[in-house]
Amino acid sequence: MTPTRKRRLYLFLSLFAGVSLAVAIAMYALQDNLLYFQSPSDVVSKQIASGEKFRLGGLVQRGTVKRDPQTLLASFDVTDGKQTIHVEYQGILPDLFAEGQGVIAHGRLTSDDHFVADDVLAKHDETYMAPEVADALERAGHPVKKKISDSEPPVTTTPDSSAG
Amino acid sequence: MNIEWMHGQHAYYIFTAYALTLAIVVYCALMPVLRRRALMQNLRLQQRSKTVAARRHD
Amino acid sequence: MTENPSIWQRCKVWFHRWGSPAWFYRTSGYIIPWLWGLCFILALPGLYLGLFVAPADYLQGDSYRIIYIHVPSAWMSMMIFALMAAFGLIGMVWRIRIAETMAICSAPIGAAFTLIALLTGSLWGKPTWGTYWQWDARMTSELVLLFLYIGVMALYQSIDEPRKAARSASLLALVGLVNLPIIHYSVQWWNTLHQGSTIKLDIGESSMDTSMLIPLLLVVAASKFYYAAVLLSRSRGLLLQQDQHKRWPQELWHANKADPT
């Protein structure tokens, strides 16, 4: 490589390194603002004031979902394994809302562990499975997330239901 | 063949996504070819008129 | 020098030939149809399997079928940016004209893939998450990628002298490279609405059923050939446009009058 080219190469590489460093520092400083949601543990440790709007994210605790079909009022517990916060929401839940499934609720705390949501989004995970496989896992004793819709209450899977 | 989804509740999203993608992909693939063809055509016309002019000059 | 040039020497000569616009134009003309062929051979079965054979997802139902275009285009949007910066760096350091051309011609293709990734992601997000758009780190950084592509194209257009313009735009591409790791790791570094990667290249197995994974991999492979074909096609056009008053296009035409291209 000729000296000119070498000089240019180093110039551009050091420019790139400089910009990377600057961006890394900026991101480190802004870390908290880049969080899209707070987990229940974050809520407890950061002592978020009630009334302040934020997004709460976590898993819907199994067996805690209650729905009132007349008023569309739903309540459930959001957990991250350590802390749990009770969420109330009036409105239509996303299709993928399910027990054990991730959710992100936008709203505010009314007390230390009581959250009223204006908006609920389902958070999907990166697993893609055929229904038959999910049924097989269920039968083998591994609980997988189950959709709960108003029209059909959760039923125990029988071998017949996977044959179709 | 599994085409049940075409009547399912998500058909709208799937169709829209695929239609938009197809439009963008086809546009992106065809545009450079058409532009280059037009340019080539233009060059040929120029070339021809030059040859004709040269012949007349003779 | 020995009488028989070594393989290394031959490779070097072959590589240097690509630096000639006339050679590039002619050779890429032969290669492009093959790239298109490979692209279709992979994409058609991939999309067929993905849309009509693969089972529905146990939780999302059928809306997940959008990933057969979303994931390949999201990957391509990042891969093309990296390649654009690499071509740009070669162009800036070695001042190789073809490298500059390839960098500039990559930008619109990458922008198209980014746009597809954003649009299809949004159309998948509505039935899955319940929203078309949220400002989480993954989506925002992908949108920044689109703006970077647009910036590269705009910078190129704003400078009259084409080679200087290409090098300036390459510099922006090189700087914008910082965004790629942010996009990729955003789902690990921060809480995001977007889920983690389904297909993991580094560790562990992919969290996807084989019957769903195979079509995805086919479309991913096809998208690479699509990029190669369109890149060569665009580069030919740009070289021809820049050199239309030079000798080689006319020589090319005289040498092969029957060639319809």
Side-chain angles (χ1 to χ4, degrees):
Chain A
M1 226 193 291
T2 62
T4 336
R5 285 172 185 170
K6 211 173 248 177
R7 194 170 43 85
R8 274 192 223 132
L9 183 64
Y10 289 143
L11 177 73
F12 292 129
L13 290 182
S14 53
L15 175 79
F16 176 70
V19 173
S20 311
L21 189 69
V23 171
I25 291 170
M27 281 193 329
Y28 184 75
L30 292 171
Q31 217 166 17
D32 267 5
N33 300 326
L34 289 167
L35 291 182
Y36 180 73
F37 61 83
Q38 317 286 331
S39 68
S41 298
D42 291 337
V43 174
V44 173
S45 65
K46 288 178 187 167
Q47 300 197 313
I48 296 174
S50 58
E52 193 182 326
K53 283 228 170 187
F54 67 99
R55 290 194 193 84
L56 172 72
L59 296 175
V60 179
Q61 183 122 34
R62 283 172 200 281
T64 61
V65 181
K66 290 187 195 78
R67 290 205 212 197
D68 183 350
Q70 262 82 51
T71 59
L72 283 173
L73 189 74
S75 75
F76 48 89
D77 286 1
V78 168
T79 177
D80 60 356
K82 296 185 193 101
Q83 301 288 344
T84 302
I85 289 181
H86 185 73
V87 176
E88 273 178 16
Y89 172 65
Q90 180 138 32
I92 297 161
L93 288 163
D95 284 355
L96 252 71
F97 182 87
E99 298 194 348
Q101 170 84 3
V103 284
I104 292 172
H106 188 216
R108 59 177 96 74
L109 285 171
T110 49
S111 73
D112 276 355
D113 57 354
H114 217 82
F115 187 89
V116 175
D118 310 322
D119 208 7
V120 171
L121 299 177
K123 181 162 159 53
H124 183 57
D125 67 9
E126 61 268 29
T127 320
Y128 296 82
M129 237 192 287
E132 293 80 10
V133 180
D135 282 349
L137 275 179
E138 188 94 356
R139 280 202 302 282
H142 300 283
V144 283
K145 298 152 204 158
K146 271 271 160 234
K147 259 198 212 183
I148 29 170
S149 55
D150 302 318
S151 53
E152 37 180 308
V155 284
T156 47
T157 29
T158 58
D160 300 300
S161 66
S162 60
Chain B
M1 200 154 103
N2 166 21
I3 50 164
E4 267 171 62
W5 61 265
M6 288 190 178
H7 313 289
Q9 54 175 339
H10 296 144
Y12 161 77
Y13 300 105
I14 303 174
F15 275 125
T16 317
Y18 276 84
L20 282 173
T21 306
L22 192 68
I24 296 173
V25 161
V26 168
Y27 175 82
C28 234
L30 277 184
M31 267 322 280
V33 177
L34 296 179
R35 257 210 308 253
R36 192 174 47 78
R37 289 252 163 107
L39 199 64
M40 222 22 170
Q41 195 72 28
N42 217 4
L43 282 182
R44 263 177 221 180
L45 287 176
Q46 279 173 15
Q47 190 69 26
R48 198 168 296 160
S49 60
K50 257 188 223 162
T51 340
V52 170
R55 242 181 245 155
R56 269 196 203 134
H57 199 73
D58 290 342
Chain C
M1 276 301 281
T2 49
E3 285 154 45
N4 277 330
S6 67
I7 294 178
W8 170 243
Q9 283 293 330
R10 277 190 205 176
C11 281
K12 233 175 149 182
V13 169
W14 184 81
F15 185 75
H16 275 277
R17 275 200 190 141
W18 282 96
S20 138
W23 164 271
F24 180 94
Y25 189 93
R26 203 147 29 98
T27 315
S28 59
Y30 296 129
I31 297 174
I32 288 170
W34 291 97
L35 293 173
W36 278 123
L38 284 168
C39 173
F40 279 110
I41 285 174
L42 292 163
L44 292 178
L47 289 174
Y48 173 77
L49 289 175
L51 284 175
F52 304 120
V53 177
D57 183 61
Y58 76 111
L59 200 65
Q60 299 175 57
D62 284 307
S63 63
Y64 92 95
R65 289 180 202 281
I66 292 174
I67 68 161
Y68 294 116
I69 43 181
H70 175 73
V71 169
S73 41
W75 280 9
M76 287 311 284
S77 72
M78 292 164 69
M79 195 191 97
I80 294 175
F81 203 94
L83 283 173
M84 179 171 75
F87 286 136
L89 186 68
I90 294 172
M92 285 187 294
V93 174
W94 282 272
R95 307 275 156 117
I96 298 171
R97 183 175 167 217
I98 299 291
E100 291 166 12
T101 311
M102 304 252 272
I104 288 311
C105 291
S106 292
I109 314 171
F113 275 117
T114 315
L115 188 65
I116 293 173
L118 287 168
L119 287 173
T120 55
S122 159
L123 283 164
W124 175 84
K126 185 65 186 167
T128 312
W129 300 326
T131 178
Y132 281 113
W133 183 263
Q134 288 290 311
W135 295 100
D136 89 334
R138 173 55 75 82
M139 287 162 237
T140 311
S141 54
E142 183 76 7
L143 188 66
V144 168
L145 188 71
L146 180 65
F147 292 151
L148 281 171
Y149 274 122
I150 294 172
V152 168
M153 291 192 280
L155 191 57
Y156 176 73
Q157 292 296 332
S158 68
I159 300 172
D160 285 335
E161 211 272 296
R163 295 205 51 186
K164 203 174 272 181
R167 288 199 296 267
S168 312
S170 302
L171 193 63
L172 178 58
L174 190 68
V175 169
L177 212 52
V178 183
N179 193 24
L180 293 192
I182 300 181
I183 298 176
H184 184 80
Y185 291 107
S186 56
V187 288
Q188 295 171 25
W189 288 344
W190 305 294
N191 294 337
T192 51
L193 177 60
H194 197 288
Q195 65 276 14
S197 309
T198 297
I199 297 165
K200 294 171 190 73
L201 296 172
D202 36 1
I203 37 150
E205 53 185 296
S206 304
S207 29
M208 196 178 196
D209 224 48
T210 319
S211 57
M212 300 165 163
L213 186 63
I214 287 168
L216 180 60
L217 295 180
L218 284 172
V219 184
V220 164
S223 63
K224 313 265 184 252
F225 289 108
Y226 174 88
Y227 165 64
V230 178
L231 174 65
L232 290 184
S233 180
R234 288 196 88 92
S235 304
R236 291 181 95 200
L238 189 62
L239 286 175
L240 187 67
Q241 191 201 348
Q242 287 173 351
D243 287 0
Q244 50 183 307
H245 302 302
K246 291 204 177 146
R247 277 253 300 280
W248 68 261
Q250 282 158 25
E251 277 166 7
L252 198 79
W253 182 56
H254 280 300
N256 194 359
K257 281 189 180 169
D259 180 14
T261 57

